[in-house]
Amino acid sequence: MEETINIISRSLRQQGFNNQLTERTIQEILTEGGRIKQPQELNTEIRVEIENLENEAQNAFKTAFEGDHKQLILFAHFVAAFLQEKDKGIIRTGHELWKVINRRQFSDDQLTQLLREVDPATNHHFGLGQQFDQLIKENEQLSKAGGQAKVIDLHPEIEKRLPGNFSTQLTRDFSENEVKSLHAIIGIFNQAKEREAMTYIREYDEWTLEFEMSQYYEFFGLPKKEEKDGYARFDTRGQNRARTGLVELSNRKFIIPEEYNQGDVHVKKLKIRSLIDIKEISEHTKHQGKAYQAIAKTKHIKISIDGIFLKDFEQNFFRLPIDLNKQIAQTLGVKRVSSAVQFFIINLYALAEQSSSGIVEQTFESLIETMRLEKAYQQRRKKRVQERIDQAIACAIDLGVITKYERAKVISSELDIFRFYLSPELMN
């Protein structure tokens, strides 16, 4: 590794780079095995430093193929990939995945049938009652062992029909850490898909992928602080929050409708499963220098993600900033962010992708459900609900997602409508 760094540094100086990459930057660019990292794997600071080299890097790319600098050619390939990236700082999220997260996965007919049939005391056509009972039994065992309970993310209308004790045992509000974790996993999924570093398990309709926890922390939005030894590391408390969010997300199950042909039979069914499942966690020690000095311990994690992540992904997706978690926290000027604000911002990006007019409309009721504020509203905490909506809209304006909004009553239908005007930059 040290020899590689020296060769690249010398080659860059020979090519007349004015703004040299620092040794630490080069260490960040290379993996432990000496592989050049993909652009999406880099943290924001390193990406900015590479962007500052744009002109020199393009010249170096041309020169590299004229000379015999093998390491420079390798580096130039990395820079070229960075410069040619179509959506700098962007990750893609499938609309089918977002429908599940946003509790919009059911057609009107499916929801009507579910509302008619959902009854935890009986084993009806969809079999949800039986699965609810099984989950409660599992949670009782987990509770005895000191584990975290598993929950089901239910459509508000379905949850209303559950007896109070079922609702208490089977549901839980989304936490801020959980939403951040979801964004991080989507970012890592984008990286793995780009590198073709995922394995499909057809039997379970899931994909397995592996990554370093440092990648996860970066997408999660954790800042790095430089310590006494000169190396920048993620805050310990922040790491704990990030790990908690990942566990919470893995323990949240979703109802995902499936429809397919099996021979001459058209099958319709519902599966209840987690979007991610933690398979394995391992620890590796990172060394450097001739003395092979141990400088850090890195955690690797293997997870599986549900097939819904890739359903219609290539044709039906929307874009999110790669550092959205950081952007929201910095815009609000707080360390802790309401999950309601997070859901509102993500949903705006999703709706913007499908808008041709530059205007997005939502009813008050739809907005409440998107932000998952229906319980607070039903409990007559209307002041708190309005404060969250105002905070989310102000955040969207400051982020440059929307330029302004209007709220109006539609007399003919008595609907309370929010009209959001999308930023022109978002429409490009």
Side-chain angles (χ1 to χ4, degrees), residues 142-186:
L142 284 169
S143 178
K144 291 177 182 178
Q148 188 184 83
K150 297 183 183 295
V151 296
I152 300 180
D153 206 57
L154 295 172
H155 189 284
E157 292 300 322
I158 296 177
E159 190 172 344
K160 282 181 188 176
R161 284 161 171 76
L162 291 179
N165 62 317
F166 271 74
S167 181
T168 302
Q169 294 179 72
L170 291 175
T171 65
R172 168 173 50 80
D173 290 339
F174 249 98
S175 71
E176 170 208 4
N177 294 330
E178 208 172 348
V179 183
K180 285 184 174 182
S181 178
L182 178 64
H183 180 80
I185 294 300
I186 292 172

mmCIF file of all heavy atoms in Angstrom, residues 142-186:
data_model
loop_
_atom_site.group_PDB
_atom_site.id
_atom_site.type_symbol
_atom_site.label_atom_id
_atom_site.label_comp_id
_atom_site.label_asym_id
_atom_site.label_seq_id
_atom_site.Cartn_x
_atom_site.Cartn_y
_atom_site.Cartn_z
ATOM 1 N N LEU A 142 -38.617 -13.331 22.523
ATOM 2 C CA LEU A 142 -37.558 -12.316 22.449
ATOM 3 C C LEU A 142 -37.495 -11.502 23.727
ATOM 4 O O LEU A 142 -36.426 -11.165 24.226
ATOM 5 C CB LEU A 142 -37.797 -11.386 21.250
ATOM 6 C CG LEU A 142 -37.468 -11.943 19.866
ATOM 7 C CD1 LEU A 142 -37.994 -11.018 18.771
ATOM 8 C CD2 LEU A 142 -35.957 -12.112 19.705
ATOM 9 N N SER A 143 -38.670 -11.181 24.269
ATOM 10 C CA SER A 143 -38.733 -10.392 25.500
ATOM 11 C C SER A 143 -38.068 -11.142 26.655
ATOM 12 O O SER A 143 -37.329 -10.554 27.449
ATOM 13 C CB SER A 143 -40.188 -10.071 25.838
ATOM 14 O OG SER A 143 -40.271 -9.350 27.049
ATOM 15 N N LYS A 144 -38.311 -12.440 26.739
ATOM 16 C CA LYS A 144 -37.705 -13.245 27.799
ATOM 17 C C LYS A 144 -36.190 -13.290 27.661
ATOM 18 O O LYS A 144 -35.457 -13.355 28.656
ATOM 19 C CB LYS A 144 -38.269 -14.665 27.756
ATOM 20 C CG LYS A 144 -39.731 -14.766 28.168
ATOM 21 C CD LYS A 144 -40.244 -16.194 28.028
ATOM 22 C CE LYS A 144 -41.734 -16.285 28.386
ATOM 23 N NZ LYS A 144 -42.253 -17.657 28.204
ATOM 24 N N ALA A 145 -35.719 -13.241 26.395
ATOM 25 C CA ALA A 145 -34.268 -13.309 26.133
ATOM 26 C C ALA A 145 -33.618 -11.929 26.129
ATOM 27 O O ALA A 145 -32.411 -11.814 25.912
ATOM 28 C CB ALA A 145 -34.026 -14.001 24.790
ATOM 29 N N GLY A 146 -34.420 -10.877 26.357
ATOM 30 C CA GLY A 146 -33.882 -9.515 26.383
ATOM 31 C C GLY A 146 -33.648 -8.925 25.002
ATOM 32 O O GLY A 146 -32.901 -7.948 24.852
ATOM 33 N N GLY A 147 -34.285 -9.498 23.968
ATOM 34 C CA GLY A 147 -34.121 -9.000 22.609
ATOM 35 C C GLY A 147 -35.129 -7.929 22.257
ATOM 36 O O GLY A 147 -36.088 -7.675 22.996
ATOM 37 N N GLN A 148 -34.910 -7.271 21.101
ATOM 38 C CA GLN A 148 -35.820 -6.223 20.649
ATOM 39 C C GLN A 148 -36.994 -6.845 19.903
ATOM 40 O O GLN A 148 -36.824 -7.720 19.063
ATOM 41 C CB GLN A 148 -35.081 -5.237 19.729
ATOM 42 C CG GLN A 148 -35.915 -4.013 19.372
ATOM 43 C CD GLN A 148 -35.204 -3.097 18.381
ATOM 44 O OE1 GLN A 148 -35.229 -3.308 17.181
ATOM 45 N NE2 GLN A 148 -34.549 -2.064 18.905
ATOM 46 N N ALA A 149 -38.199 -6.372 20.192
ATOM 47 C CA ALA A 149 -39.403 -6.917 19.572
ATOM 48 C C ALA A 149 -39.453 -6.585 18.080
ATOM 49 O O ALA A 149 -38.941 -5.558 17.630
ATOM 50 C CB ALA A 149 -40.643 -6.352 20.265
ATOM 51 N N LYS A 150 -40.079 -7.468 17.329
ATOM 52 C CA LYS A 150 -40.322 -7.233 15.905
ATOM 53 C C LYS A 150 -41.688 -6.580 15.748
ATOM 54 O O LYS A 150 -42.619 -6.867 16.513
ATOM 55 C CB LYS A 150 -40.269 -8.553 15.133
ATOM 56 C CG LYS A 150 -38.895 -9.224 15.182
ATOM 57 C CD LYS A 150 -38.874 -10.488 14.353
ATOM 58 C CE LYS A 150 -37.521 -11.196 14.468
ATOM 59 N NZ LYS A 150 -36.434 -10.399 13.893
ATOM 60 N N VAL A 151 -41.803 -5.691 14.762
ATOM 61 C CA VAL A 151 -43.061 -4.980 14.544
ATOM 62 C C VAL A 151 -43.453 -5.081 13.074
ATOM 63 O O VAL A 151 -42.646 -5.449 12.220
ATOM 64 C CB VAL A 151 -42.946 -3.490 14.953
ATOM 65 C CG1 VAL A 151 -42.687 -3.357 16.434
ATOM 66 C CG2 VAL A 151 -41.852 -2.781 14.144
ATOM 67 N N ILE A 152 -44.726 -4.765 12.799
ATOM 68 C CA ILE A 152 -45.216 -4.754 11.417
ATOM 69 C C ILE A 152 -45.626 -3.332 11.062
ATOM 70 O O ILE A 152 -46.312 -2.659 11.841
ATOM 71 C CB ILE A 152 -46.419 -5.696 11.226
ATOM 72 C CG1 ILE A 152 -46.030 -7.132 11.581
ATOM 73 C CG2 ILE A 152 -46.925 -5.653 9.798
ATOM 74 C CD1 ILE A 152 -47.173 -8.129 11.409
ATOM 75 N N ASP A 153 -45.198 -2.877 9.913
ATOM 76 C CA ASP A 153 -45.575 -1.555 9.421
ATOM 77 C C ASP A 153 -46.925 -1.686 8.721
ATOM 78 O O ASP A 153 -47.010 -2.254 7.627
ATOM 79 C CB ASP A 153 -44.502 -1.046 8.447
ATOM 80 C CG ASP A 153 -44.461 0.466 8.394
ATOM 81 O OD1 ASP A 153 -44.273 1.083 9.452
ATOM 82 O OD2 ASP A 153 -44.620 1.025 7.290
ATOM 83 N N LEU A 154 -47.967 -1.175 9.337
ATOM 84 C CA LEU A 154 -49.317 -1.372 8.831
ATOM 85 C C LEU A 154 -49.914 -0.104 8.239
ATOM 86 O O LEU A 154 -49.611 1.013 8.680
ATOM 87 C CB LEU A 154 -50.232 -1.846 9.969
ATOM 88 C CG LEU A 154 -49.924 -3.216 10.575
ATOM 89 C CD1 LEU A 154 -50.802 -3.436 11.797
ATOM 90 C CD2 LEU A 154 -50.137 -4.316 9.549
ATOM 91 N N HIS A 155 -50.768 -0.278 7.234
ATOM 92 C CA HIS A 155 -51.542 0.834 6.698
ATOM 93 C C HIS A 155 -52.420 1.370 7.834
ATOM 94 O O HIS A 155 -52.972 0.597 8.626
ATOM 95 C CB HIS A 155 -52.406 0.343 5.535
ATOM 96 C CG HIS A 155 -53.077 1.442 4.785
ATOM 97 N ND1 HIS A 155 -54.193 2.107 5.270
ATOM 98 C CD2 HIS A 155 -52.799 2.017 3.577
ATOM 99 C CE1 HIS A 155 -54.569 3.028 4.401
ATOM 100 N NE2 HIS A 155 -53.738 2.999 3.367
ATOM 101 N N PRO A 156 -52.573 2.709 7.953
ATOM 102 C CA PRO A 156 -53.345 3.286 9.063
ATOM 103 C C PRO A 156 -54.747 2.701 9.202
ATOM 104 O O PRO A 156 -55.232 2.482 10.318
ATOM 105 C CB PRO A 156 -53.411 4.775 8.710
ATOM 106 C CG PRO A 156 -52.241 5.020 7.840
ATOM 107 C CD PRO A 156 -52.003 3.754 7.090
ATOM 108 N N GLU A 157 -55.410 2.437 8.068
ATOM 109 C CA GLU A 157 -56.777 1.910 8.123
ATOM 110 C C GLU A 157 -56.802 0.481 8.668
ATOM 111 O O GLU A 157 -57.769 0.079 9.314
ATOM 112 C CB GLU A 157 -57.416 1.959 6.734
ATOM 113 C CG GLU A 157 -57.677 3.369 6.223
ATOM 114 C CD GLU A 157 -58.618 4.141 7.147
ATOM 115 O OE1 GLU A 157 -59.565 3.525 7.676
ATOM 116 O OE2 GLU A 157 -58.401 5.346 7.342
ATOM 117 N N ILE A 158 -55.748 -0.295 8.382
ATOM 118 C CA ILE A 158 -55.671 -1.657 8.921
ATOM 119 C C ILE A 158 -55.401 -1.598 10.422
ATOM 120 O O ILE A 158 -56.020 -2.326 11.211
ATOM 121 C CB ILE A 158 -54.563 -2.463 8.212
ATOM 122 C CG1 ILE A 158 -54.891 -2.638 6.727
ATOM 123 C CG2 ILE A 158 -54.377 -3.820 8.881
ATOM 124 C CD1 ILE A 158 -53.817 -3.352 5.933
ATOM 125 N N GLU A 159 -54.486 -0.722 10.815
ATOM 126 C CA GLU A 159 -54.130 -0.620 12.232
ATOM 127 C C GLU A 159 -55.333 -0.213 13.085
ATOM 128 O O GLU A 159 -55.485 -0.667 14.222
ATOM 129 C CB GLU A 159 -52.993 0.390 12.415
ATOM 130 C CG GLU A 159 -52.404 0.393 13.804
ATOM 131 C CD GLU A 159 -51.159 1.246 13.930
ATOM 132 O OE1 GLU A 159 -50.567 1.595 12.887
ATOM 133 O OE2 GLU A 159 -50.792 1.567 15.061
ATOM 134 N N LYS A 160 -56.194 0.644 12.516
ATOM 135 C CA LYS A 160 -57.388 1.081 13.248
ATOM 136 C C LYS A 160 -58.279 -0.092 13.632
ATOM 137 O O LYS A 160 -58.976 -0.051 14.644
ATOM 138 C CB LYS A 160 -58.209 2.044 12.380
ATOM 139 C CG LYS A 160 -57.685 3.456 12.310
ATOM 140 C CD LYS A 160 -58.620 4.275 11.436
ATOM 141 C CE LYS A 160 -58.048 5.653 11.151
ATOM 142 N NZ LYS A 160 -58.933 6.419 10.223
ATOM 143 N N ARG A 161 -58.277 -1.126 12.806
ATOM 144 C CA ARG A 161 -59.182 -2.250 13.011
ATOM 145 C C ARG A 161 -58.622 -3.324 13.936
ATOM 146 O O ARG A 161 -59.291 -4.300 14.231
ATOM 147 C CB ARG A 161 -59.548 -2.866 11.649
ATOM 148 C CG ARG A 161 -60.559 -2.011 10.891
ATOM 149 C CD ARG A 161 -60.564 -2.340 9.410
ATOM 150 N NE ARG A 161 -61.666 -1.694 8.720
ATOM 151 C CZ ARG A 161 -61.696 -0.399 8.402
ATOM 152 N NH1 ARG A 161 -60.686 0.382 8.747
ATOM 153 N NH2 ARG A 161 -62.736 0.113 7.767
ATOM 154 N N LEU A 162 -57.385 -3.141 14.356
ATOM 155 C CA LEU A 162 -56.792 -4.119 15.275
ATOM 156 C C LEU A 162 -57.181 -3.787 16.710
ATOM 157 O O LEU A 162 -57.250 -2.617 17.087
ATOM 158 C CB LEU A 162 -55.269 -4.105 15.167
ATOM 159 C CG LEU A 162 -54.638 -4.633 13.885
ATOM 160 C CD1 LEU A 162 -53.128 -4.509 13.981
ATOM 161 C CD2 LEU A 162 -55.026 -6.075 13.630
ATOM 162 N N PRO A 163 -57.432 -4.790 17.541
ATOM 163 C CA PRO A 163 -57.669 -4.530 18.969
ATOM 164 C C PRO A 163 -56.460 -3.814 19.568
ATOM 165 O O PRO A 163 -55.334 -3.979 19.097
ATOM 166 C CB PRO A 163 -57.825 -5.941 19.553
ATOM 167 C CG PRO A 163 -58.205 -6.803 18.395
ATOM 168 C CD PRO A 163 -57.515 -6.213 17.201
ATOM 169 N N GLY A 164 -56.697 -3.033 20.609
ATOM 170 C CA GLY A 164 -55.633 -2.219 21.198
ATOM 171 C C GLY A 164 -54.403 -3.003 21.588
ATOM 172 O O GLY A 164 -53.277 -2.561 21.369
ATOM 173 N N ASN A 165 -54.589 -4.221 22.149
ATOM 174 C CA ASN A 165 -53.425 -4.987 22.599
ATOM 175 C C ASN A 165 -52.579 -5.467 21.420
ATOM 176 O O ASN A 165 -51.355 -5.548 21.501
ATOM 177 C CB ASN A 165 -53.877 -6.183 23.435
ATOM 178 C CG ASN A 165 -54.737 -7.164 22.646
ATOM 179 O OD1 ASN A 165 -55.612 -6.749 21.894
ATOM 180 N ND2 ASN A 165 -54.512 -8.453 22.833
ATOM 181 N N PHE A 166 -53.235 -5.773 20.271
ATOM 182 C CA PHE A 166 -52.493 -6.179 19.076
ATOM 183 C C PHE A 166 -51.679 -5.003 18.547
ATOM 184 O O PHE A 166 -50.509 -5.155 18.185
ATOM 185 C CB PHE A 166 -53.455 -6.685 18.000
ATOM 186 C CG PHE A 166 -53.742 -8.153 18.104
ATOM 187 C CD1 PHE A 166 -54.570 -8.644 19.099
ATOM 188 C CD2 PHE A 166 -53.176 -9.047 17.218
ATOM 189 C CE1 PHE A 166 -54.834 -9.999 19.213
ATOM 190 C CE2 PHE A 166 -53.437 -10.407 17.322
ATOM 191 C CZ PHE A 166 -54.264 -10.886 18.320
ATOM 192 N N SER A 167 -52.322 -3.839 18.499
ATOM 193 C CA SER A 167 -51.639 -2.655 17.985
ATOM 194 C C SER A 167 -50.417 -2.319 18.825
ATOM 195 O O SER A 167 -49.348 -2.001 18.298
ATOM 196 C CB SER A 167 -52.606 -1.466 17.968
ATOM 197 O OG SER A 167 -51.977 -0.321 17.458
ATOM 198 N N THR A 168 -50.551 -2.416 20.133
ATOM 199 C CA THR A 168 -49.437 -2.113 21.040
ATOM 200 C C THR A 168 -48.279 -3.086 20.855
ATOM 201 O O THR A 168 -47.111 -2.697 20.873
ATOM 202 C CB THR A 168 -49.916 -2.163 22.509
ATOM 203 O OG1 THR A 168 -50.978 -1.237 22.689
ATOM 204 C CG2 THR A 168 -48.777 -1.823 23.455
ATOM 205 N N GLN A 169 -48.611 -4.356 20.654
ATOM 206 C CA GLN A 169 -47.581 -5.384 20.561
ATOM 207 C C GLN A 169 -46.957 -5.489 19.165
ATOM 208 O O GLN A 169 -45.830 -5.974 19.031
ATOM 209 C CB GLN A 169 -48.180 -6.746 20.932
ATOM 210 C CG GLN A 169 -48.615 -6.848 22.382
ATOM 211 C CD GLN A 169 -49.221 -8.201 22.696
ATOM 212 O OE1 GLN A 169 -48.524 -9.211 22.764
ATOM 213 N NE2 GLN A 169 -50.520 -8.239 22.884
ATOM 214 N N LEU A 170 -47.677 -5.025 18.146
ATOM 215 C CA LEU A 170 -47.212 -5.259 16.777
ATOM 216 C C LEU A 170 -46.711 -4.017 16.046
ATOM 217 O O LEU A 170 -46.138 -4.131 14.974
ATOM 218 C CB LEU A 170 -48.337 -5.888 15.947
ATOM 219 C CG LEU A 170 -48.727 -7.320 16.298
ATOM 220 C CD1 LEU A 170 -49.926 -7.761 15.467
ATOM 221 C CD2 LEU A 170 -47.558 -8.262 16.055
ATOM 222 N N THR A 171 -46.933 -2.833 16.604
ATOM 223 C CA THR A 171 -46.558 -1.617 15.867
ATOM 224 C C THR A 171 -45.625 -0.742 16.699
ATOM 225 O O THR A 171 -45.586 -0.832 17.930
ATOM 226 C CB THR A 171 -47.799 -0.802 15.461
ATOM 227 O OG1 THR A 171 -48.465 -0.321 16.643
ATOM 228 C CG2 THR A 171 -48.764 -1.645 14.644
ATOM 229 N N ARG A 172 -44.896 0.095 16.010
ATOM 230 C CA ARG A 172 -43.980 1.052 16.638
ATOM 231 C C ARG A 172 -43.735 2.172 15.647
ATOM 232 O O ARG A 172 -43.611 1.935 14.441
ATOM 233 C CB ARG A 172 -42.665 0.359 17.016
ATOM 234 C CG ARG A 172 -41.538 1.297 17.397
ATOM 235 C CD ARG A 172 -40.312 0.557 17.919
ATOM 236 N NE ARG A 172 -39.852 -0.529 17.087
ATOM 237 C CZ ARG A 172 -39.102 -0.378 15.984
ATOM 238 N NH1 ARG A 172 -38.767 0.836 15.562
ATOM 239 N NH2 ARG A 172 -38.709 -1.438 15.298
ATOM 240 N N ASP A 173 -43.658 3.409 16.139
ATOM 241 C CA ASP A 173 -43.373 4.542 15.254
ATOM 242 C C ASP A 173 -41.970 4.413 14.670
ATOM 243 O O ASP A 173 -41.058 3.891 15.311
ATOM 244 C CB ASP A 173 -43.480 5.867 16.014
ATOM 245 C CG ASP A 173 -44.918 6.219 16.387
ATOM 246 O OD1 ASP A 173 -45.836 5.685 15.741
ATOM 247 O OD2 ASP A 173 -45.104 7.010 17.325
ATOM 248 N N PHE A 174 -41.791 4.924 13.452
ATOM 249 C CA PHE A 174 -40.463 4.985 12.849
ATOM 250 C C PHE A 174 -39.599 5.961 13.634
ATOM 251 O O PHE A 174 -40.028 7.073 13.949
ATOM 252 C CB PHE A 174 -40.575 5.489 11.405
ATOM 253 C CG PHE A 174 -40.273 4.450 10.359
ATOM 254 C CD1 PHE A 174 -41.293 3.772 9.726
ATOM 255 C CD2 PHE A 174 -38.962 4.178 10.004
ATOM 256 C CE1 PHE A 174 -41.030 2.822 8.746
ATOM 257 C CE2 PHE A 174 -38.678 3.227 9.034
ATOM 258 C CZ PHE A 174 -39.708 2.555 8.409
ATOM 259 N N SER A 175 -38.378 5.566 13.962
ATOM 260 C CA SER A 175 -37.456 6.478 14.642
ATOM 261 C C SER A 175 -36.622 7.230 13.604
ATOM 262 O O SER A 175 -36.518 6.823 12.449
ATOM 263 C CB SER A 175 -36.523 5.695 15.569
ATOM 264 O OG SER A 175 -35.584 4.930 14.806
ATOM 265 N N GLU A 176 -36.031 8.330 14.057
ATOM 266 C CA GLU A 176 -35.134 9.101 13.188
ATOM 267 C C GLU A 176 -33.985 8.224 12.689
ATOM 268 O O GLU A 176 -33.638 8.242 11.501
ATOM 269 C CB GLU A 176 -34.567 10.295 13.971
ATOM 270 C CG GLU A 176 -33.443 11.031 13.255
ATOM 271 C CD GLU A 176 -32.477 11.715 14.214
ATOM 272 O OE1 GLU A 176 -32.629 11.552 15.436
ATOM 273 O OE2 GLU A 176 -31.557 12.410 13.732
ATOM 274 N N ASN A 177 -33.404 7.437 13.600
ATOM 275 C CA ASN A 177 -32.271 6.583 13.234
ATOM 276 C C ASN A 177 -32.669 5.528 12.203
ATOM 277 O O ASN A 177 -31.878 5.147 11.347
ATOM 278 C CB ASN A 177 -31.700 5.902 14.479
ATOM 279 C CG ASN A 177 -31.071 6.892 15.441
ATOM 280 O OD1 ASN A 177 -30.556 7.931 15.030
ATOM 281 N ND2 ASN A 177 -31.126 6.586 16.726
ATOM 282 N N GLU A 178 -33.906 5.068 12.303
ATOM 283 C CA GLU A 178 -34.396 4.042 11.387
ATOM 284 C C GLU A 178 -34.515 4.594 9.964
ATOM 285 O O GLU A 178 -34.156 3.926 8.997
ATOM 286 C CB GLU A 178 -35.757 3.550 11.873
ATOM 287 C CG GLU A 178 -36.099 2.136 11.492
ATOM 288 C CD GLU A 178 -37.361 1.655 12.162
ATOM 289 O OE1 GLU A 178 -37.866 2.327 13.099
ATOM 290 O OE2 GLU A 178 -37.865 0.594 11.752
ATOM 291 N N VAL A 179 -35.021 5.834 9.840
ATOM 292 C CA VAL A 179 -35.147 6.455 8.513
ATOM 293 C C VAL A 179 -33.759 6.715 7.927
ATOM 294 O O VAL A 179 -33.518 6.493 6.737
ATOM 295 C CB VAL A 179 -35.950 7.769 8.589
ATOM 296 C CG1 VAL A 179 -36.130 8.364 7.193
ATOM 297 C CG2 VAL A 179 -37.314 7.536 9.216
ATOM 298 N N LYS A 180 -32.835 7.191 8.763
ATOM 299 C CA LYS A 180 -31.467 7.411 8.297
ATOM 300 C C LYS A 180 -30.825 6.103 7.853
ATOM 301 O O LYS A 180 -30.089 6.058 6.859
ATOM 302 C CB LYS A 180 -30.625 8.046 9.414
ATOM 303 C CG LYS A 180 -30.915 9.516 9.663
ATOM 304 C CD LYS A 180 -29.971 10.083 10.717
ATOM 305 C CE LYS A 180 -30.152 11.581 10.873
ATOM 306 N NZ LYS A 180 -29.215 12.151 11.865
ATOM 307 N N SER A 181 -31.098 5.044 8.600
ATOM 308 C CA SER A 181 -30.557 3.731 8.257
ATOM 309 C C SER A 181 -31.091 3.260 6.913
ATOM 310 O O SER A 181 -30.355 2.703 6.097
ATOM 311 C CB SER A 181 -30.919 2.720 9.351
ATOM 312 O OG SER A 181 -30.447 1.443 9.031
ATOM 313 N N LEU A 182 -32.370 3.505 6.675
ATOM 314 C CA LEU A 182 -32.980 3.124 5.399
ATOM 315 C C LEU A 182 -32.278 3.830 4.244
ATOM 316 O O LEU A 182 -31.942 3.209 3.230
ATOM 317 C CB LEU A 182 -34.466 3.480 5.419
ATOM 318 C CG LEU A 182 -35.242 3.195 4.139
ATOM 319 C CD1 LEU A 182 -35.276 1.701 3.844
ATOM 320 C CD2 LEU A 182 -36.670 3.745 4.267
ATOM 321 N N HIS A 183 -32.029 5.138 4.400
ATOM 322 C CA HIS A 183 -31.324 5.894 3.355
ATOM 323 C C HIS A 183 -29.924 5.328 3.144
ATOM 324 O O HIS A 183 -29.462 5.203 1.997
ATOM 325 C CB HIS A 183 -31.238 7.373 3.751
ATOM 326 C CG HIS A 183 -30.530 8.230 2.753
ATOM 327 N ND1 HIS A 183 -31.133 8.701 1.609
ATOM 328 C CD2 HIS A 183 -29.250 8.685 2.698
ATOM 329 C CE1 HIS A 183 -30.283 9.413 0.906
ATOM 330 N NE2 HIS A 183 -29.123 9.419 1.544
ATOM 331 N N ALA A 184 -29.253 4.982 4.232
ATOM 332 C CA ALA A 184 -27.894 4.438 4.128
ATOM 333 C C ALA A 184 -27.881 3.114 3.372
ATOM 334 O O ALA A 184 -27.023 2.883 2.511
ATOM 335 C CB ALA A 184 -27.294 4.259 5.523
ATOM 336 N N ILE A 185 -28.831 2.249 3.667
ATOM 337 C CA ILE A 185 -28.889 0.948 2.993
ATOM 338 C C ILE A 185 -29.203 1.131 1.513
ATOM 339 O O ILE A 185 -28.645 0.427 0.652
ATOM 340 C CB ILE A 185 -29.940 0.033 3.658
ATOM 341 C CG1 ILE A 185 -29.506 -0.323 5.086
ATOM 342 C CG2 ILE A 185 -30.156 -1.234 2.837
ATOM 343 C CD1 ILE A 185 -28.176 -1.052 5.175
ATOM 344 N N ILE A 186 -30.067 2.081 1.174
ATOM 345 C CA ILE A 186 -30.362 2.359 -0.236
ATOM 346 C C ILE A 186 -29.094 2.840 -0.947
ATOM 347 O O ILE A 186 -28.819 2.457 -2.085
ATOM 348 C CB ILE A 186 -31.494 3.397 -0.368
ATOM 349 C CG1 ILE A 186 -32.813 2.791 0.111
ATOM 350 C CG2 ILE A 186 -31.642 3.871 -1.821
ATOM 351 C CD1 ILE A 186 -33.960 3.794 0.205
#
